[in-house]
Amino acid sequence: MNRGSELPSAVPIQAVHDVARVRDDFPILSREVHGKPLVYLDNAATTQKPRAVIAAVRHYYCTSNANVHRGVHALSDRATQAYEEARGRVARFLNAREDREIVFVRGATEAINLVAQTYGRIHLLEGDEVLVTAMEHHANIVPWQMVCDRAGARLKVAPVFASGELDLAAYERALSPRTRIAAVTHVSNALGTVNPVREMISMAHTRGIPVLVDGAQAAPHVPVDVQALGCDFYVFSGHKLYGPTGIGALYGKAEHLEAMPPYQGGGDMILRVTFEKTTYNAVPWKFEAGTPNIAGAVGLRAAIDYLDAIGLEAVSAHERELLAYATKEVGRIPGVRIVGTAREKAGILSFVVEGVHPHDLGTILDHEGIAIRAGHHCAMPLMDLLGLPATARASFGLYNTPVEVDLLAAGIRKARELFR
């Protein structure tokens, strides 16, 4: 399979993905909630952590903890080596050309803010445009609004159909001579829609427009090849990828990162400081002000190693089969409406239940030990577009099973009975 493709074709999951063995790797999955076995279906919000990640972070703190790049002692050397090896691992994970094209950040939100406040700030002038889609979550809207407001530029929105699919023709028409950057999600966190990002990037590049891809909901589930995609920026969060919280990565083409100014000062982003002038460090360090999340980077590396050992193609196929099964089982419950029926979807099932508010449903399911998300999913403009205040959302990970889908369906039926 080409790593740059949107999704791999279906693979028989029983042949390649041993869910029972995988579940043993996640200690939290053995606990109970309200006296019931935990069914964790909130993976789009954050994933649980395998023993390998927990052990890597613990090992780092037990054996190598020190600050990076500035110490002259052995522990600092070890910490620096671990931190930079993690950067190289992320670069290989995304197939970046060079390690220096990877900037460590707190997560996808910080990465988008970084690009908005650096690339956006130097390229946006009054009357210019930033193009997003109607299915973006707040973190890929608000940073652009902030920089647009400052520059007198305009946020332009490509529409989506009621199915949750992007109107690709409208997206192409929205790419204008005033568009300075397109910022688009790879996979919708609210609907599960998989966007044809390679085609979207090609359309933008034909017009000389760079593209940032928000991969927060894609990188943990499908293979990503930034060179094959051709994107200018790609961002993801470690905690959605079975890694620690507080760590993520921004991929940027080296020529863009070189031309962008830093937006935070202090620490490793500096080469020399006088009261008159500061000389900044090279990329990527000029964007990593202060002491970075070294343990987080170590844990992220372990998470990537773990995912790669299983194989993202197998993970993707497993989650697609779970989604298909859940769509069938949940969709046939009377009064349930699936929200988001795009042809290409990742393992996210949004739905509403007639007569049951999503928050009430989430509470009832919680008492069954089932964790889902209920709300606007940080995508309020999309909810407004769909005419919904909120949805319930079940999102699947590599450790979820068809039995858990059955429990979800039973919980929804119970909620319907309670609200009759």
Side-chain angles (χ1 to χ4, degrees), residues 93-258:
F93 178 65
L94 296 178
N95 195 30
R97 292 173 301 183
E98 309 172 59
D99 292 1
R100 70 191 182 109
E101 293 184 317
I102 303 300
V103 180
F104 280 125
V105 287
R106 285 182 297 156
T109 298
E110 185 177 51
I112 296 169
N113 274 276
L114 191 160
V115 177
Q117 292 298 323
T118 55
Y119 186 92
R121 208 163 178 171
I122 61 175
H123 286 90
L124 281 173
L125 299 172
E126 186 172 357
D128 286 342
E129 297 168 350
V130 173
L131 179 62
V132 298
T133 77
M135 71 179 82
E136 303 304 325
H137 68 144
H138 299 163
N140 201 27
I141 298 173
V142 179
W144 300 111
Q145 285 178 329
M146 294 167 72
V147 70
C148 282
D149 285 347
R150 190 179 296 119
R154 183 165 78 101
L155 190 71
K156 207 168 179 178
V157 183
V160 299
F161 296 115
S163 65
E165 281 188 341
L166 178 70
D167 184 338
L168 195 59
Y171 165 83
E172 186 171 27
R173 288 194 299 273
L175 294 163
S176 84
R178 300 308 303 262
T179 308
R180 295 293 171 256
I181 190 168
V184 300
T185 188
H186 196 162
V187 173
S188 163
N189 74 313
L191 304 176
T193 304
V194 180
N195 277 323
V197 287
R198 195 201 306 239
E199 193 173 354
M200 294 165 74
I201 293 163
S202 176
M203 288 173 173
H205 282 182
T206 300
R207 295 159 176 81
I209 299 166
V211 179
L212 177 146
V213 179
D214 175 0
Q217 299 295 340
H221 307 289
V222 297
V224 174
D225 183 333
V226 293
Q227 292 191 65
L229 289 174
C231 56
D232 298 271
F233 303 99
Y234 197 98
V235 309
F236 73 89
S237 298
H239 72 97
K240 296 182 193 295
L241 195 137
Y242 307 97
T245 54
I247 188 72
L250 161 67
Y251 157 80
K253 286 181 177 175
E255 56 268 32
H256 291 317
L257 296 180
E258 290 282 5

Side-chain angles (χ1 to χ4, degrees), residues 17 29 97 130 146 148 151 162 164 197 203 220 245-246 272 279 300 308 320 337 350-351 370 388:
H17 189 61
L29 296 181
R97 292 173 301 183
V130 173
M146 294 167 72
C148 282
V197 287
M203 288 173 173
T245 54
R272 176 174 168 75
T279 304
L300 178 57
D308 264 1
R320 290 183 78 184
R337 178 164 68 89
S350 274
F351 56 95
I370 303 168
L388 295 168

Side-chain angles (χ1 to χ4, degrees), residues 217-393:
Q217 299 295 340
H221 307 289
V222 297
V224 174
D225 183 333
V226 293
Q227 292 191 65
L229 289 174
C231 56
D232 298 271
F233 303 99
Y234 197 98
V235 309
F236 73 89
S237 298
H239 72 97
K240 296 182 193 295
L241 195 137
Y242 307 97
T245 54
I247 188 72
L250 161 67
Y251 157 80
K253 286 181 177 175
E255 56 268 32
H256 291 317
L257 296 180
E258 290 282 5
M260 289 157 49
Y263 84 127
Q264 292 180 333
D268 271 347
M269 55 81 65
I270 292 160
L271 279 183
R272 176 174 168 75
V273 177
T274 69
F275 283 115
E276 289 73 33
K277 184 181 178 182
T278 296
T279 304
Y280 302 127
N281 205 341
V283 294
W285 304 290
K286 76 174 179 180
F287 297 111
E288 295 178 357
T291 297
N293 185 354
I294 308 161
V298 169
L300 178 57
R301 175 187 178 177
I304 291 172
D305 286 344
Y306 180 81
L307 264 180
D308 264 1
I310 294 173
L312 267 168
E313 287 88 353
V315 170
S316 181
H318 171 72
E319 292 170 355
R320 290 183 78 184
E321 290 206 4
L322 276 180
L323 175 67
Y325 182 61
T327 301
K328 178 169 70 74
E329 292 301 309
V330 173
R332 71 182 184 181
I333 298 173
V336 168
R337 178 164 68 89
I338 306 296
V339 181
T341 54
R343 286 166 293 182
E344 290 290 342
K345 286 184 64 177
I348 291 174
L349 184 70
S350 274
F351 56 95
V352 291
V353 182
E354 185 181 7
V356 186
H357 191 282
H359 287 164
D360 292 328
L361 176 63
T363 301
I364 291 167
L365 291 176
D366 177 56
H367 281 80
E368 298 298 313
I370 303 168
I372 65 160
R373 180 56 57 99
H376 51 64
H377 315 300
C378 297
M380 292 176 76
L382 177 61
M383 292 294 126
D384 289 343
L385 185 72
L386 297 171
L388 295 168
T391 72
R393 182 187 72 187

